[in-house]
Amino acid sequence: RPIAQRHGLTMLQLACLWNLSQPQVHSVIPTLIQEVGANAKPIEKKIDELAAVGTDARLAQFKLSADECAQIEDIGNNKGCMELKGANPAHAGEAQPDRWGLNPDLQTVAQRWGIAPERDLVCTHH
């Protein structure tokens, strides 16, 4: 929130601009949900905020600093905070719909991407 406030951005705009600051991302289309409650923004307001990212000259040229990107990344880093679904080195036994062991093909993919399953795919925060 302090980063958004410092730049006069809404949280939706900040989220979009942060995503767009990633080198591999060229466009964003967030899911907009009409929330309920006294302080809920109408979905039309959210659409206007999102549209401004691409049409407002200030926002279209806006770039987060490397330090701001690092701060946001640190806030959202949940690595190791939960047991993962899908391929999991801790899974033993028969494959389940949401969890299965690592087969040789998955081990090869992990190696190609520099993933050490016993280090990177396990819950480390209890």
Side-chain angles (χ1 to χ4, degrees), residues 49-101:
E49 290 172 8
L50 179 60
V53 171
T55 59
D56 180 293
R58 181 183 72 88
L59 294 180
Q61 301 301 316
F62 182 84
K63 300 285 184 226
L64 291 165
S65 72
D67 184 56
E68 290 169 328
C69 286
Q71 287 176 39
I72 293 169
E73 186 173 340
D74 189 51
I75 290 167
N77 183 359
N78 64 357
K79 184 177 179 180
C81 73
M82 65 184 111
E83 190 167 325
L84 297 176
K85 304 283 185 180
N88 189 316
H91 181 78
E94 191 173 324
Q96 303 298 313
D98 65 347
R99 183 176 322 233
W100 51 90

Side-chain angles (χ1 to χ4, degrees), residues 33-41 46:
I33 299 170
Q34 179 60 61
E35 298 170 5
V36 297
N39 296 324
K41 283 184 191 176
K46 293 178 182 183

